[in-house]
Amino acid sequence: MNLIPKDVGAVIVTYKRPEALKKTIFAILSQDIPESQIVIVNNDPSIQLIPEHIDISFTRLVIKNQLENIASAGGFAKGMKAIVDMGLKWAWLFNDDSRPVEGSFFSIKTALENTNYEKIGLIKIGNLNQTGKAILLNWNGVRVPSYVDPSEELIKTDLVTFDGCLISCLLIEDIGTCDPGYFMGTYEFDYCLKAAKKGYKIFTLPNGQIEDEKMGSVGGTPPWRQYYNTRNHLWMGISRRDFRILRSWLLRELKFTYAILMWEDQKILRLRYKFLAMYHAAIGRRGKVLMPKNN
């Protein structure tokens, strides 16, 4: 399978990180992706971003300014649709604080040329953990990580996250974009399960050729994010009527609730948000409910 830059559009979802965004744009350009095929979804409604705000040399970036923060699920959905509308073949997804390193695109291209698989839906550049192992994700009602030595061979997995993920536009046209109703968290796994159900293959390329600053993961999981983790996982089980997901959700929530009672700060707030999340999943309340300012 041949992969060339002119067939690929990049999506960057950004929120109030101009310097990180600039680094990511230059990193994507260094992979020979044309500037006119870079879509930036700006989730900061306080500024109507234009190319000159980022760098005076940018003139052809495609910027989608949002009237409200639609978070990662909504941002990637907007970006995926934009790439399909451009008539391209692949969408390469990034947050503003993650970016490809030198050789990333070439490594994906080479891996694709060396595989005989058809109907490939998603290919993720695998992140490395602190011990230098590549992270793979499989599914048993909840994500199950495993770890392998870095390599340049595609490994079939059940799940991938979207950061550094290449998604076939044929897949997007077939099943649509990711579901913006998740707002943040779980939407990637929901999308992978939908893709697999349609017969698309999902791969991880475990070479670690992605730089991830993880700027949104500093300081642990805040209460508002726990709300979405709880609600969205439960919603997946309820909407699919999948007992395996519901069982895994229950076991996971018991474990995390115990951790809240024993070690976490803001215990009352965290527990209140968890009960709210369960109620909202049960009644089908989706989309944006809590934001960081609600803490």
PDB file of all heavy atoms in Angstrom, residues 254-276:
ATOM      1  N   LEU A 254     -15.352   0.431  41.189  1.00  0.00           N
ATOM      2  CA  LEU A 254     -15.124   0.016  42.574  1.00  0.00           C
ATOM      3  C   LEU A 254     -13.669   0.273  42.973  1.00  0.00           C
ATOM      4  O   LEU A 254     -13.392   0.752  44.083  1.00  0.00           O
ATOM      5  CB  LEU A 254     -15.476  -1.462  42.745  1.00  0.00           C
ATOM      6  CG  LEU A 254     -16.972  -1.810  42.707  1.00  0.00           C
ATOM      7  CD1 LEU A 254     -17.165  -3.321  42.705  1.00  0.00           C
ATOM      8  CD2 LEU A 254     -17.711  -1.174  43.888  1.00  0.00           C
ATOM      9  N   LYS A 255     -12.764  -0.030  42.075  1.00  0.00           N
ATOM     10  CA  LYS A 255     -11.340   0.176  42.345  1.00  0.00           C
ATOM     11  C   LYS A 255     -11.030   1.665  42.523  1.00  0.00           C
ATOM     12  O   LYS A 255     -10.349   2.060  43.483  1.00  0.00           O
ATOM     13  CB  LYS A 255     -10.503  -0.409  41.203  1.00  0.00           C
ATOM     14  CG  LYS A 255      -8.998  -0.224  41.386  1.00  0.00           C
ATOM     15  CD  LYS A 255      -8.220  -0.853  40.242  1.00  0.00           C
ATOM     16  CE  LYS A 255      -8.383  -0.043  38.967  1.00  0.00           C
ATOM     17  NZ  LYS A 255      -7.494  -0.546  37.875  1.00  0.00           N
ATOM     18  N   PHE A 256     -11.545   2.494  41.616  1.00  0.00           N
ATOM     19  CA  PHE A 256     -11.236   3.919  41.689  1.00  0.00           C
ATOM     20  C   PHE A 256     -11.953   4.600  42.851  1.00  0.00           C
ATOM     21  O   PHE A 256     -11.440   5.557  43.428  1.00  0.00           O
ATOM     22  CB  PHE A 256     -11.567   4.596  40.359  1.00  0.00           C
ATOM     23  CG  PHE A 256     -10.514   4.387  39.310  1.00  0.00           C
ATOM     24  CD1 PHE A 256     -10.722   3.527  38.252  1.00  0.00           C
ATOM     25  CD2 PHE A 256      -9.298   5.045  39.394  1.00  0.00           C
ATOM     26  CE1 PHE A 256      -9.743   3.318  37.294  1.00  0.00           C
ATOM     27  CE2 PHE A 256      -8.305   4.852  38.445  1.00  0.00           C
ATOM     28  CZ  PHE A 256      -8.534   3.981  37.382  1.00  0.00           C
ATOM     29  N   THR A 257     -13.143   4.132  43.178  1.00  0.00           N
ATOM     30  CA  THR A 257     -13.840   4.693  44.336  1.00  0.00           C
ATOM     31  C   THR A 257     -13.076   4.390  45.623  1.00  0.00           C
ATOM     32  O   THR A 257     -12.948   5.245  46.515  1.00  0.00           O
ATOM     33  CB  THR A 257     -15.271   4.141  44.417  1.00  0.00           C
ATOM     34  OG1 THR A 257     -15.979   4.504  43.227  1.00  0.00           O
ATOM     35  CG2 THR A 257     -16.007   4.711  45.630  1.00  0.00           C
ATOM     36  N   TYR A 258     -12.547   3.184  45.722  1.00  0.00           N
ATOM     37  CA  TYR A 258     -11.712   2.825  46.877  1.00  0.00           C
ATOM     38  C   TYR A 258     -10.494   3.744  46.950  1.00  0.00           C
ATOM     39  O   TYR A 258     -10.124   4.228  48.035  1.00  0.00           O
ATOM     40  CB  TYR A 258     -11.277   1.369  46.765  1.00  0.00           C
ATOM     41  CG  TYR A 258     -10.354   0.929  47.879  1.00  0.00           C
ATOM     42  CD1 TYR A 258     -10.854   0.618  49.142  1.00  0.00           C
ATOM     43  CD2 TYR A 258      -8.978   0.820  47.668  1.00  0.00           C
ATOM     44  CE1 TYR A 258     -10.009   0.208  50.165  1.00  0.00           C
ATOM     45  CE2 TYR A 258      -8.133   0.422  48.686  1.00  0.00           C
ATOM     46  CZ  TYR A 258      -8.648   0.113  49.930  1.00  0.00           C
ATOM     47  OH  TYR A 258      -7.808  -0.280  50.931  1.00  0.00           O
ATOM     48  N   ALA A 259      -9.869   4.016  45.792  1.00  0.00           N
ATOM     49  CA  ALA A 259      -8.706   4.902  45.756  1.00  0.00           C
ATOM     50  C   ALA A 259      -9.077   6.315  46.202  1.00  0.00           C
ATOM     51  O   ALA A 259      -8.302   6.973  46.920  1.00  0.00           O
ATOM     52  CB  ALA A 259      -8.116   4.927  44.350  1.00  0.00           C
ATOM     53  N   ILE A 260     -10.260   6.777  45.804  1.00  0.00           N
ATOM     54  CA  ILE A 260     -10.712   8.111  46.235  1.00  0.00           C
ATOM     55  C   ILE A 260     -10.851   8.148  47.747  1.00  0.00           C
ATOM     56  O   ILE A 260     -10.372   9.078  48.412  1.00  0.00           O
ATOM     57  CB  ILE A 260     -12.048   8.463  45.553  1.00  0.00           C
ATOM     58  CG1 ILE A 260     -11.839   8.740  44.064  1.00  0.00           C
ATOM     59  CG2 ILE A 260     -12.695   9.678  46.231  1.00  0.00           C
ATOM     60  CD1 ILE A 260     -13.119   8.909  43.287  1.00  0.00           C
ATOM     61  N   LEU A 261     -11.492   7.147  48.304  1.00  0.00           N
ATOM     62  CA  LEU A 261     -11.723   7.121  49.755  1.00  0.00           C
ATOM     63  C   LEU A 261     -10.424   7.018  50.538  1.00  0.00           C
ATOM     64  O   LEU A 261     -10.302   7.572  51.642  1.00  0.00           O
ATOM     65  CB  LEU A 261     -12.641   5.957  50.102  1.00  0.00           C
ATOM     66  CG  LEU A 261     -14.083   6.062  49.584  1.00  0.00           C
ATOM     67  CD1 LEU A 261     -14.836   4.764  49.825  1.00  0.00           C
ATOM     68  CD2 LEU A 261     -14.813   7.231  50.238  1.00  0.00           C
ATOM     69  N   MET A 262      -9.449   6.343  49.985  1.00  0.00           N
ATOM     70  CA  MET A 262      -8.211   6.099  50.713  1.00  0.00           C
ATOM     71  C   MET A 262      -7.169   7.189  50.512  1.00  0.00           C
ATOM     72  O   MET A 262      -6.486   7.582  51.470  1.00  0.00           O
ATOM     73  CB  MET A 262      -7.625   4.745  50.301  1.00  0.00           C
ATOM     74  CG  MET A 262      -8.475   3.547  50.707  1.00  0.00           C
ATOM     75  SD  MET A 262      -8.666   3.410  52.512  1.00  0.00           S
ATOM     76  CE  MET A 262      -6.983   3.097  53.004  1.00  0.00           C
ATOM     77  N   TRP A 263      -7.021   7.683  49.287  1.00  0.00           N
ATOM     78  CA  TRP A 263      -5.838   8.503  49.001  1.00  0.00           C
ATOM     79  C   TRP A 263      -6.113   9.832  48.303  1.00  0.00           C
ATOM     80  O   TRP A 263      -5.302  10.754  48.421  1.00  0.00           O
ATOM     81  CB  TRP A 263      -4.861   7.704  48.131  1.00  0.00           C
ATOM     82  CG  TRP A 263      -4.408   6.438  48.786  1.00  0.00           C
ATOM     83  CD1 TRP A 263      -3.643   6.318  49.917  1.00  0.00           C
ATOM     84  CD2 TRP A 263      -4.708   5.110  48.371  1.00  0.00           C
ATOM     85  NE1 TRP A 263      -3.442   5.003  50.225  1.00  0.00           N
ATOM     86  CE2 TRP A 263      -4.079   4.212  49.285  1.00  0.00           C
ATOM     87  CE3 TRP A 263      -5.427   4.564  47.309  1.00  0.00           C
ATOM     88  CZ2 TRP A 263      -4.164   2.845  49.180  1.00  0.00           C
ATOM     89  CZ3 TRP A 263      -5.511   3.184  47.201  1.00  0.00           C
ATOM     90  CH2 TRP A 263      -4.885   2.348  48.122  1.00  0.00           C
ATOM     91  N   GLU A 264      -7.194   9.967  47.554  1.00  0.00           N
ATOM     92  CA  GLU A 264      -7.383  11.172  46.739  1.00  0.00           C
ATOM     93  C   GLU A 264      -7.776  12.377  47.580  1.00  0.00           C
ATOM     94  O   GLU A 264      -8.339  12.241  48.677  1.00  0.00           O
ATOM     95  CB  GLU A 264      -8.477  10.918  45.684  1.00  0.00           C
ATOM     96  CG  GLU A 264      -8.083   9.886  44.628  1.00  0.00           C
ATOM     97  CD  GLU A 264      -7.261  10.482  43.517  1.00  0.00           C
ATOM     98  OE1 GLU A 264      -6.725  11.601  43.687  1.00  0.00           O
ATOM     99  OE2 GLU A 264      -7.144   9.823  42.469  1.00  0.00           O
ATOM    100  N   ASP A 265      -7.514  13.571  47.032  1.00  0.00           N
ATOM    101  CA  ASP A 265      -8.010  14.806  47.625  1.00  0.00           C
ATOM    102  C   ASP A 265      -9.442  15.048  47.123  1.00  0.00           C
ATOM    103  O   ASP A 265      -9.957  14.295  46.305  1.00  0.00           O
ATOM    104  CB  ASP A 265      -7.099  15.985  47.270  1.00  0.00           C
ATOM    105  CG  ASP A 265      -7.055  16.248  45.761  1.00  0.00           C
ATOM    106  OD1 ASP A 265      -7.654  15.464  44.989  1.00  0.00           O
ATOM    107  OD2 ASP A 265      -6.416  17.234  45.358  1.00  0.00           O
ATOM    108  N   GLN A 266     -10.099  16.069  47.617  1.00  0.00           N
ATOM    109  CA  GLN A 266     -11.444  16.472  47.172  1.00  0.00           C
ATOM    110  C   GLN A 266     -12.394  15.274  47.107  1.00  0.00           C
ATOM    111  O   GLN A 266     -13.128  15.091  46.128  1.00  0.00           O
ATOM    112  CB  GLN A 266     -11.378  17.164  45.806  1.00  0.00           C
ATOM    113  CG  GLN A 266     -10.431  18.365  45.758  1.00  0.00           C
ATOM    114  CD  GLN A 266     -10.449  19.039  44.398  1.00  0.00           C
ATOM    115  OE1 GLN A 266     -11.380  19.773  44.066  1.00  0.00           O
ATOM    116  NE2 GLN A 266      -9.421  18.797  43.610  1.00  0.00           N
ATOM    117  N   LYS A 267     -12.399  14.475  48.156  1.00  0.00           N
ATOM    118  CA  LYS A 267     -13.158  13.226  48.163  1.00  0.00           C
ATOM    119  C   LYS A 267     -14.649  13.438  47.891  1.00  0.00           C
ATOM    120  O   LYS A 267     -15.254  12.739  47.078  1.00  0.00           O
ATOM    121  CB  LYS A 267     -12.979  12.501  49.494  1.00  0.00           C
ATOM    122  CG  LYS A 267     -11.547  12.096  49.820  1.00  0.00           C
ATOM    123  CD  LYS A 267     -11.486  11.369  51.147  1.00  0.00           C
ATOM    124  CE  LYS A 267     -10.052  11.190  51.623  1.00  0.00           C
ATOM    125  NZ  LYS A 267      -9.229  10.426  50.685  1.00  0.00           N
ATOM    126  N   ILE A 268     -15.244  14.406  48.580  1.00  0.00           N
ATOM    127  CA  ILE A 268     -16.685  14.632  48.433  1.00  0.00           C
ATOM    128  C   ILE A 268     -17.017  15.051  47.010  1.00  0.00           C
ATOM    129  O   ILE A 268     -17.983  14.553  46.401  1.00  0.00           O
ATOM    130  CB  ILE A 268     -17.176  15.691  49.440  1.00  0.00           C
ATOM    131  CG1 ILE A 268     -16.914  15.235  50.876  1.00  0.00           C
ATOM    132  CG2 ILE A 268     -18.656  15.976  49.220  1.00  0.00           C
ATOM    133  CD1 ILE A 268     -17.626  13.942  51.239  1.00  0.00           C
ATOM    134  N   LEU A 269     -16.214  15.963  46.455  1.00  0.00           N
ATOM    135  CA  LEU A 269     -16.462  16.433  45.098  1.00  0.00           C
ATOM    136  C   LEU A 269     -16.308  15.300  44.086  1.00  0.00           C
ATOM    137  O   LEU A 269     -17.141  15.139  43.183  1.00  0.00           O
ATOM    138  CB  LEU A 269     -15.508  17.577  44.756  1.00  0.00           C
ATOM    139  CG  LEU A 269     -15.694  18.218  43.378  1.00  0.00           C
ATOM    140  CD1 LEU A 269     -17.074  18.869  43.274  1.00  0.00           C
ATOM    141  CD2 LEU A 269     -14.597  19.233  43.098  1.00  0.00           C
ATOM    142  N   ARG A 270     -15.258  14.514  44.241  1.00  0.00           N
ATOM    143  CA  ARG A 270     -15.035  13.401  43.314  1.00  0.00           C
ATOM    144  C   ARG A 270     -16.189  12.395  43.365  1.00  0.00           C
ATOM    145  O   ARG A 270     -16.667  11.926  42.327  1.00  0.00           O
ATOM    146  CB  ARG A 270     -13.710  12.706  43.639  1.00  0.00           C
ATOM    147  CG  ARG A 270     -12.476  13.533  43.318  1.00  0.00           C
ATOM    148  CD  ARG A 270     -11.197  12.807  43.679  1.00  0.00           C
ATOM    149  NE  ARG A 270     -10.039  13.671  43.572  1.00  0.00           N
ATOM    150  CZ  ARG A 270      -9.363  13.914  42.459  1.00  0.00           C
ATOM    151  NH1 ARG A 270      -9.740  13.332  41.323  1.00  0.00           N
ATOM    152  NH2 ARG A 270      -8.317  14.722  42.462  1.00  0.00           N
ATOM    153  N   LEU A 271     -16.645  12.064  44.555  1.00  0.00           N
ATOM    154  CA  LEU A 271     -17.749  11.115  44.682  1.00  0.00           C
ATOM    155  C   LEU A 271     -19.045  11.699  44.134  1.00  0.00           C
ATOM    156  O   LEU A 271     -19.829  10.998  43.483  1.00  0.00           O
ATOM    157  CB  LEU A 271     -17.918  10.703  46.144  1.00  0.00           C
ATOM    158  CG  LEU A 271     -16.775   9.864  46.737  1.00  0.00           C
ATOM    159  CD1 LEU A 271     -16.995   9.663  48.233  1.00  0.00           C
ATOM    160  CD2 LEU A 271     -16.654   8.513  46.031  1.00  0.00           C
ATOM    161  N   ARG A 272     -19.257  12.983  44.387  1.00  0.00           N
ATOM    162  CA  ARG A 272     -20.469  13.629  43.851  1.00  0.00           C
ATOM    163  C   ARG A 272     -20.469  13.602  42.326  1.00  0.00           C
ATOM    164  O   ARG A 272     -21.504  13.318  41.696  1.00  0.00           O
ATOM    165  CB  ARG A 272     -20.549  15.068  44.365  1.00  0.00           C
ATOM    166  CG  ARG A 272     -21.798  15.805  43.901  1.00  0.00           C
ATOM    167  CD  ARG A 272     -22.082  17.006  44.795  1.00  0.00           C
ATOM    168  NE  ARG A 272     -21.043  18.011  44.683  1.00  0.00           N
ATOM    169  CZ  ARG A 272     -21.040  18.990  43.760  1.00  0.00           C
ATOM    170  NH1 ARG A 272     -22.012  19.047  42.872  1.00  0.00           N
ATOM    171  NH2 ARG A 272     -20.081  19.879  43.741  1.00  0.00           N
ATOM    172  N   TYR A 273     -19.317  13.878  41.719  1.00  0.00           N
ATOM    173  CA  TYR A 273     -19.229  13.855  40.263  1.00  0.00           C
ATOM    174  C   TYR A 273     -19.419  12.441  39.714  1.00  0.00           C
ATOM    175  O   TYR A 273     -19.982  12.257  38.628  1.00  0.00           O
ATOM    176  CB  TYR A 273     -17.878  14.409  39.808  1.00  0.00           C
ATOM    177  CG  TYR A 273     -17.794  15.922  39.806  1.00  0.00           C
ATOM    178  CD1 TYR A 273     -16.614  16.571  39.457  1.00  0.00           C
ATOM    179  CD2 TYR A 273     -18.890  16.715  40.144  1.00  0.00           C
ATOM    180  CE1 TYR A 273     -16.528  17.947  39.440  1.00  0.00           C
ATOM    181  CE2 TYR A 273     -18.814  18.086  40.136  1.00  0.00           C
ATOM    182  CZ  TYR A 273     -17.622  18.705  39.783  1.00  0.00           C
ATOM    183  OH  TYR A 273     -17.534  20.076  39.769  1.00  0.00           O
ATOM    184  N   LYS A 274     -18.962  11.441  40.457  1.00  0.00           N
ATOM    185  CA  LYS A 274     -19.146  10.074  39.993  1.00  0.00           C
ATOM    186  C   LYS A 274     -20.628   9.675  39.999  1.00  0.00           C
ATOM    187  O   LYS A 274     -21.108   9.057  39.053  1.00  0.00           O
ATOM    188  CB  LYS A 274     -18.325   9.102  40.845  1.00  0.00           C
ATOM    189  CG  LYS A 274     -16.854   9.053  40.443  1.00  0.00           C
ATOM    190  CD  LYS A 274     -16.169   7.838  40.977  1.00  0.00           C
ATOM    191  CE  LYS A 274     -14.757   7.719  40.397  1.00  0.00           C
ATOM    192  NZ  LYS A 274     -14.783   7.398  38.949  1.00  0.00           N
ATOM    193  N   PHE A 275     -21.332  10.038  41.058  1.00  0.00           N
ATOM    194  CA  PHE A 275     -22.765   9.748  41.097  1.00  0.00           C
ATOM    195  C   PHE A 275     -23.506  10.524  40.002  1.00  0.00           C
ATOM    196  O   PHE A 275     -24.435  10.003  39.380  1.00  0.00           O
ATOM    197  CB  PHE A 275     -23.332  10.071  42.469  1.00  0.00           C
ATOM    198  CG  PHE A 275     -23.024   9.033  43.510  1.00  0.00           C
ATOM    199  CD1 PHE A 275     -22.214   9.326  44.595  1.00  0.00           C
ATOM    200  CD2 PHE A 275     -23.542   7.744  43.401  1.00  0.00           C
ATOM    201  CE1 PHE A 275     -21.917   8.364  45.552  1.00  0.00           C
ATOM    202  CE2 PHE A 275     -23.260   6.767  44.348  1.00  0.00           C
ATOM    203  CZ  PHE A 275     -22.443   7.081  45.426  1.00  0.00           C
ATOM    204  N   LEU A 276     -23.082  11.763  39.762  1.00  0.00           N
ATOM    205  CA  LEU A 276     -23.682  12.554  38.689  1.00  0.00           C
ATOM    206  C   LEU A 276     -23.426  11.891  37.335  1.00  0.00           C
ATOM    207  O   LEU A 276     -24.329  11.826  36.486  1.00  0.00           O
ATOM    208  CB  LEU A 276     -23.098  13.970  38.700  1.00  0.00           C
ATOM    209  CG  LEU A 276     -23.675  14.951  37.676  1.00  0.00           C
ATOM    210  CD1 LEU A 276     -25.146  15.244  37.969  1.00  0.00           C
ATOM    211  CD2 LEU A 276     -22.855  16.246  37.657  1.00  0.00           C
TER     212      LEU A 276
END
